[in-house]
């Protein structure tokens, strides 16, 4: 069993990610003086939010969801009485893809073990996926492949599964699939949909 504190385990991941030369995004990060975006919030959070990959503002600051989409995420959190400090916010891919393109399957495969380790450290009761890429990864990772469908069909739904803790004991885990908050920046109706979908979380916290 791992005897490192949660803080030390997260710092170890930060060091590994800083030197992650195997990533196809590593050179792009260095040449733009960007930082990897590890995650932010409480290591004891009961609820974990997972986006896709950092955008430009996030890669400059090293903080997740701090640009326009992130501001809307903060509004959504406050609307159900949560703050960024009492949840944990991260992404599947920890480096910015060029021109904000979608992360590739190879990038998701390379970075997702870090996300899995973050789940092991935090052991949340609820994981909220933001957008279809994190939804696809998380649903398959927790054996919910059969429930997967287009995000237009399963946004705002919750799914029960289990997550094995460090003692290999199954712990109940709820996955909630939401649209990415950036979708609301280009589509006003989506803003209302996201606000309504966020209400689902109220029953779980
Ligand atoms: N979009 C994401 O998926 N993650 C961020 O951190 C910012 C924008």
């Amino acid at each position: 069993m791992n005897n490192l504190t949660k803080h030390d385990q997260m710092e170890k991941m930060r060091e590994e990610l800083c030197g992650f030369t195997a990533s196809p995004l590593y050179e792009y990060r260095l040449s733009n003086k960007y930082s990897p975006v590890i995650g932010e919030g409480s290591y004891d959070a009961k609820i974990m939010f997972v986006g896709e990959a950092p955008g430009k503002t996030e890669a400059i600051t090293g903080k997740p969801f701090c640009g326009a989409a992130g501001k809307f995420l903060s509004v959504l959190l406050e609307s159900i009485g949560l703050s960024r400090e009492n949840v944990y916010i991260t992404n599947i891919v920890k480096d910015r893809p060029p021109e904000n393109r979608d992360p590739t399957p190879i990038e998701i495969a390379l970075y997702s073990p870090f996300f899995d380790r973050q789940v092991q450290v935090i052991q949340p009761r609820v994981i909220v996926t933001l957008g279809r890429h994190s939804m696809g990864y998380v649903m398959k990772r927790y054996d919910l492949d059969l429930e997967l469908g287009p995000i237009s069909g399963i946004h705002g739904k919750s799914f029960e599964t289990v997550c094995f803790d460090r003692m290999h004991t199954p712990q109940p885990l709820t996955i909630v699939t939401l649209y990415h908050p950036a979708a609301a920046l280009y589509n006003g109706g989506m803003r209302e949909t996201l606000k309504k979908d966020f209400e689902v979380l109220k029953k779980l916290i």
Side-chain angles (χ1 to χ4, degrees):
M1 207 185 105
N2 191 340
N3 286 323
L4 294 179
T5 62
K6 289 185 173 194
H7 176 268
D8 288 351
Q9 290 180 70
M10 289 297 201
E11 281 309 303
K12 188 165 179 296
M13 265 184 262
R14 179 184 301 281
E15 276 169 32
E16 287 174 38
L17 280 160
C18 284
F20 195 30
T21 53
S23 167
L25 301 173
Y26 179 77
E27 289 300 330
Y28 179 68
R29 182 218 293 166
L30 288 196
S31 60
N32 286 282
K33 299 193 169 50
Y34 288 154
S35 298
V37 179
I38 317 297
E40 191 177 55
S42 167
Y43 298 157
D44 296 316
K46 296 285 170 268
I47 177 160
M48 202 165 159
F49 288 81
V50 56
E52 310 197 326
K56 188 171 181 181
T57 319
E58 288 78 18
I60 291 171
T61 60
K63 292 179 184 300
F65 282 97
C66 60
K71 291 202 172 75
F72 185 45
L73 177 60
S74 300
V75 170
L76 291 167
L77 287 169
E78 282 161 23
S79 76
I80 56 163
L82 289 174
S83 70
R84 290 176 73 112
E85 290 73 42
N86 49 37
V87 302
Y88 191 80
I89 303 173
T90 188
N91 289 295
I92 296 284
V93 169
K94 315 292 192 199
D95 278 299
R96 181 188 182 216
E99 311 309 326
N100 288 348
R101 64 158 170 72
D102 286 345
T104 64
I106 289 177
E107 288 159 3
I108 292 174
L110 278 170
Y111 284 91
S112 53
F114 291 98
F115 169 71
D116 293 346
R117 282 164 63 189
Q118 290 177 311
V119 173
Q120 280 297 305
V121 171
I122 296 172
Q123 302 200 1
R125 280 195 290 109
V126 182
I127 298 178
V128 182
T129 63
L130 302 170
R132 63 194 167 87
H133 293 288
S134 53
M135 174 185 85
Y137 176 74
V138 171
M139 291 287 280
K140 288 182 195 153
R141 172 71 183 77
Y142 292 102
D143 299 326
L144 293 165
D145 317 44
L146 294 179
E147 311 279 355
L148 250 182
I151 195 162
S152 54
I154 62 169
H155 68 91
K157 291 199 168 24
S158 60
F159 303 89
E160 301 306 321
T161 184
V162 291
C163 178
F164 291 88
D165 66 17
R166 269 167 285 162
M167 307 302 288
H168 305 288
T169 308
Q171 301 292 344
L173 176 68
T174 305
I175 310 291
V176 177
T177 46
L178 298 184
Y179 279 117
H180 194 287
L185 303 179
Y186 318 108
N187 177 341
M190 195 61 90
R191 218 179 150 82
E192 289 315 307
T193 305
L194 259 161
K195 278 189 175 161
K196 190 162 162 279
D197 286 353
F198 244 74
E199 297 282 315
V200 170
L201 300 178
K202 261 192 186 164
K203 296 186 209 113
L204 302 170
I205 55 181

